[in-house]
């Protein structure tokens, strides 16, 4: 049989070279915020992770991102025994090993660099995440569980779990799940139907957990309602669960099925039935939604960092492809219209990076006991705003990135569609955009919180000495001042008026701080390098618009009619 060789043109695939060396935005950010000795100390670790992410881990992630690489649920063994074994791709073990050995969790808890340790940790996570085949998800929950347990004061659980959750030894390292969502609703956890019954020195949980990510983790934190407690979130308590006993048997729970999802297909996400699952109470037997807040603080920040790094990955691949792709008599990179697309992607990336890492910076300062009261107040509002905004930017950027490849961006075996499939979960996990908008309003509490947040905007904006950057800084300050005034007027209109504008309020706060931080970065790059690239990013970001607010309630009646499809 004769084999006919294909001839003619073959397009080069996009390639990654070195995710640390090629990421000028990350390097310049760290140069701006870190002391020189800290930066010098952590750079080798970041360089090693950046190279791994572009080579071995990227190849492994591509191998996992296939139909054959999706996790498998084995409910029974050959003899009919219920085993509920979940088998992810074997490459997940390597992802876990790299995360442990490189301290992607441990760095945040060793605190070798004091208040800068979280920036170091999240720089590692940022480089690792896009090539981790979604192992970043269990890492986020692991980080959140460690922080939550440390804050609980429960010495027995801390001593048992935290050393494992923060270990650098792959053989000792544990990951954690987070079992919150039930059939009654995702974000409305107060409607939980899982019941907790005290049985001697332990509790037993019964109910269904509808959506549990990373079911292969060794432990989880979850919510349940102790018998006799009131309805709603205040009647829930937080519990610690180990998934299997020392003999590997499941802890009185069944894996009902694995979820068939739009994206994050590499990640084993299960529906669980708890039937007397042994658990340990963490904290008081009520107010569980409040007690689990430290976990949400961390997982929302991870979501933001992964959003920024995912946007960076789309930009890196699109830019490399544009240098290789010949069309219409030249390379795409030289086409003025395509240049605007790549420039827009760069702006989304750098805006997301600045906001997410600013949250990491303030968190590190708070954990080291060095944050001012103003910074602590600002952080409380910054976290939901950052998660909300970076997630939306990541989805838009992923869509634009795969479009820049034309038809190749829509073909699964190019491993480009995964950029969009996996980005789409970012505005959903850890609170949807609307839920986070309301969380931002709840985080305000008093006028002092908005004042503290506005001070962060001013501090960054006022670094500008360049006229163009000062102009962007003024727009940022004007936007946050308008948001503060809007809130006062909206409060007079009542809860429905506040809720109607909550999303635009949160977006305006986020974009104001993004603009101000881009100004600070632009001024730094001008002063240190004589380079106007970051200044151009700030200007282009401002041109997109910073303030998206209108008068409180101006369109509320029309929006209600349109939503209900009623006559106006």
């Amino acid at each position: 049989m004769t084999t006919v060789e294909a001839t003619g043109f073959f397009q080069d695939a996009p390639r990654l070279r070195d995710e640390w060396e090629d990421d000028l935005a990350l390097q310049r950010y760290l140069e701006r915020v870190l002391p020189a000795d800290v930066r010098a100390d952590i750079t080798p670790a970041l360089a090693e992770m950046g190279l791994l992410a572009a080579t071995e881990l990227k190849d492994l992630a591509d191998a996992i991102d296939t139909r054959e690489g999706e996790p498998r649920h084995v409910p029974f063994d050959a003899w009919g025994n219920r085993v509920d074994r979940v088998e992810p791709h074997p490459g997940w073990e390597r992802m876990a090993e790299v995360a442990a050995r490189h301290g992607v969790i441990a760095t945040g808890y060793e605190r070798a660099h004091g208040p800068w340790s979280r920036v170091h940790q999240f720089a590692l996570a940022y480089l690792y995440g896009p090539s981790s085949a979604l192992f970043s998800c269990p890492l986020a929950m692991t980080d959140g569980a460690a922080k939550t347990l440390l804050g609980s004061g429960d010495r027995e659980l801390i001593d048992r779990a935290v050393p494992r959750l923060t270990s650098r030894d792959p053989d000792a390292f544990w990951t954690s799940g987070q079992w919150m969502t039930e059939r009654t609703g995702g974000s409305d956890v107060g409607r939980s139907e899982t019941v907790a019954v005290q049985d001697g020195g332990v509790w037993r949980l019964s109910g269904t957990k509808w959506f549990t990510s990373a079911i292969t983790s060794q432990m989880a934190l979850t919510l349940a309602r102790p018998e006799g407690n009131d309805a709603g979130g205040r009647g829930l308590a937080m519990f610690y669960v180990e998934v299997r006993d020392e003999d590997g048997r499941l802890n009185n729970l069944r894996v009902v099925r694995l979820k068939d999802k739009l994206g994050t297909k590499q990640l084993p996400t299960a529906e669980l039935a708890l039937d007397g699952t042994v658990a340990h109470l963490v904290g008081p037997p009520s107010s569980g939604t409040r007690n689990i807040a430290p976990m949400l603080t961390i997982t929302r920040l991870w979501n933001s960092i992964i959003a920024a790094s995912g946007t960076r990955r789309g930009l890196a691949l699109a830019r490399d492809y544009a240098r290789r792709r010949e069309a219409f008599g030249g390379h795409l990179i030289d086409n003025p219209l395509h240049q605007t697309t790549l420039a827009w992607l760069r702006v989304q990336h750098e805006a997301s990076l600045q906001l997410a890492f600013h949250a990491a910076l303030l968190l590190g300062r708070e954990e080291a006991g060095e944050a001012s009261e103003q910074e602590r107040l600002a952080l409380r509002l910054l976290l939901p705003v950052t998660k909300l905004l970076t997630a939306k930017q990541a989805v838009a950027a992923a869509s634009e990135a795969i479009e820049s490849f034309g038809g190749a961006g829509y073909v699964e075996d190019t491993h480009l569609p995964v950029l969009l499939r996996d980005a789409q979960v970012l505005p959903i996990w850890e609170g949807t955009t609307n839920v986070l908008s309301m969380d931002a309003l709840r985080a305000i509490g008093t006028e002092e919180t908005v004042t503290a947040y506005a001070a962060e905007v001013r501090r960054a904006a006022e670094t500008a000495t360049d006229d163009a950057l000062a102009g962007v800084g003024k727009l940022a300050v004007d936007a946050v001042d308008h948001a503060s005034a809007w809130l006062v007027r909206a409060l007079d209109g009542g809860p429905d008026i506040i809720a109607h504008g909550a999303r635009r309020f949160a977006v305006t706060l986020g974009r104001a701080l993004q603009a101000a931080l881009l100004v600070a970065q632009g001024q730094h790059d001008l002063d240190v390098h004589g380079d106007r690239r970051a200044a151009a990013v700030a200007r282009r970001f401002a041109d997109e618009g910073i303030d998206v607010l209108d008068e409180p309630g101006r369109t509320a009646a029309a929006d209600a009619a349109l939503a209900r499809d009623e006559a106006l």
Side-chain angles (χ1 to χ4, degrees), residues 313-478:
R313 175 58 58 85
L315 169 62
L317 292 170
R319 181 186 285 151
D320 182 81
Y321 183 74
R323 291 188 175 119
R324 300 173 186 280
R325 176 62 173 163
E326 294 182 29
F328 308 110
H331 286 96
L332 276 182
I333 196 71
D334 298 319
N335 182 297
L337 183 55
H338 198 68
Q339 288 169 354
T340 66
T341 301
L342 296 177
W344 181 86
L345 282 170
R346 179 174 186 154
V347 170
Q348 307 317 304
H349 165 238
E350 297 196 21
S352 295
L353 180 149
Q354 291 291 333
L355 192 63
F357 273 96
H358 192 67
L361 178 67
L362 292 188
L363 176 66
R365 288 181 55 76
E366 180 183 65
E367 291 179 336
E370 296 188 16
S372 66
E373 178 61 20
Q374 190 176 68
E375 287 174 325
R376 285 193 291 272
L377 287 171
L379 178 62
R380 191 179 308 162
L381 177 54
L382 176 58
L383 285 164
V385 167
T386 299
K387 191 276 186 185
L388 174 159
L389 192 53
T390 56
K392 299 299 279 188
Q393 288 170 325
V395 174
S399 179
E400 197 70 63
I402 68 168
E403 184 182 342
S404 72
F405 293 92
Y410 206 67
V411 177
E412 285 289 354
D413 57 5
T414 64
H415 302 291
L416 294 168
V418 70
L419 296 172
L420 183 56
R421 283 193 279 105
D422 289 353
Q424 188 59 65
V425 81
L426 296 171
I428 298 172
W429 275 349
E430 314 309 323
T432 63
T433 305
N434 287 349
V435 166
L436 287 162
S437 299
M438 297 306 293
D439 280 358
L441 288 170
R442 281 187 286 270
I444 289 172
T446 67
E447 187 178 337
E448 291 178 348
T449 305
V450 180
T451 301
Y453 187 95
E456 291 297 302
V457 175
R458 283 188 170 81
R459 185 180 300 115
E462 289 171 358
T463 60
T465 56
D466 175 79
D467 287 345
L469 286 170
V472 176
K474 183 178 185 307
L475 292 173
V477 171
D478 288 348

Side-chain angles (χ1 to χ4, degrees), residues 90-205:
W92 253 45
E93 290 185 17
R94 174 59 177 157
M95 297 299 184
E97 178 188 359
V98 169
R101 290 196 188 283
H102 288 261
V104 179
I105 299 298
T107 299
Y109 294 87
E110 294 164 349
R111 294 188 186 160
H113 298 104
W116 316 108
S117 297
R118 280 295 190 178
V119 171
H120 178 194
Q121 177 204 356
F122 280 109
L124 286 168
Y126 166 96
L127 292 166
Y128 167 89
S131 295
S132 71
L134 265 297
F135 201 80
S136 55
C137 173
L139 292 183
M141 295 183 288
T142 300
D143 196 347
K147 184 173 178 67
T148 302
L149 291 175
L150 284 169
S152 74
D154 188 319
R155 195 72 255 165
E156 182 182 354
L157 289 182
I158 291 170
D159 290 344
R160 175 162 178 77
V162 173
R164 292 173 168 88
L165 296 172
T166 60
S167 178
R168 286 180 180 261
D169 178 358
D171 293 330
F173 181 55
W174 277 10
T175 59
S176 177
Q178 176 180 308
W179 302 349
M180 303 297 161
T181 304
E182 299 193 14
R183 286 189 298 254
T184 49
S187 299
D188 189 2
V189 294
R191 298 179 65 198
S192 171
E193 296 178 335
T194 301
V195 176
V197 178
Q198 198 159 11
D199 181 14
V202 300
W203 291 77
R204 293 188 177 275
L205 311 183

Side-chain angles (χ1 to χ4, degrees), residues 290-291 331:
R290 181 188 306 165
N291 298 327
H331 286 96

Side-chain angles (χ1 to χ4, degrees), residues 218-229:
Q218 291 85 353
M219 61 153 285
L221 293 180
T222 189
L223 295 175
R225 193 178 312 281
E227 273 191 321
N229 273 22

